[in-house]
Amino acid sequence: ANVRLGIELAHTARPEVILLNIDLPGTGALQFMKLLRADPATQNTPLLALGANAAPAAIKNALEAGFFHYLTKPLEPERFTQALDDALEFSALERAEQDDRAYPRAHSH
């Protein structure tokens, strides 16, 4: 519904992936992304952008801004599934690394 609610939900629910419709009026997709990246709980959560603009420059700008993938409308199921698989794999690796840092394994001698 709005950026504040989205940030609260992302912080409390800690989703593995976020799909963000960047065309909704007033959402402030880049502001949303910056707030997520500033929060340790969501700084590495992959963000999939969903936008109507399929121009190469728009896609390049979104990826350079930090989106994990840029999907265009209408959403193509195969592309969405592949992007989601990539993002979930990345998320699983990030969470495993975080767990390793948080709970170092005891070394036996």
Side-chain angles (χ1 to χ4, degrees):
N2 60 55
V3 171
R4 184 185 57 76
L5 179 59
I7 294 296
E8 286 177 22
L9 287 172
H11 183 77
T12 57
R14 305 236 7 236
E16 294 178 56
V17 177
I18 295 173
L19 176 64
L20 181 61
N21 182 350
I22 62 174
D23 296 326
L24 292 176
T27 41
L30 292 179
Q31 175 192 6
F32 184 78
M33 183 180 0
K34 287 177 184 177
L35 292 170
L36 287 173
R37 295 299 175 239
D39 184 343
T42 56
Q43 68 185 3
N44 294 318
T45 303
L47 296 169
L48 303 179
L50 177 61
N53 189 347
I59 295 168
K60 181 179 180 235
N61 290 341
L63 296 174
E64 286 177 353
F67 283 98
F68 194 77
H69 277 288
Y70 184 95
L71 301 164
T72 56
K73 298 175 188 177
L75 191 57
E76 298 173 24
E78 290 176 11
R79 292 197 60 181
F80 173 67
T81 302
Q82 184 60 56
L84 185 58
D85 287 346
D86 292 348
L88 288 170
E89 183 178 337
F90 175 84
S91 184
L93 292 172
E94 283 295 313
R95 288 177 188 234
E97 285 181 19
Q98 288 174 356
D99 289 346
D100 285 347
R101 287 191 299 270
Y103 306 106
R105 294 185 181 103
H107 296 284
S108 59
H109 297 283

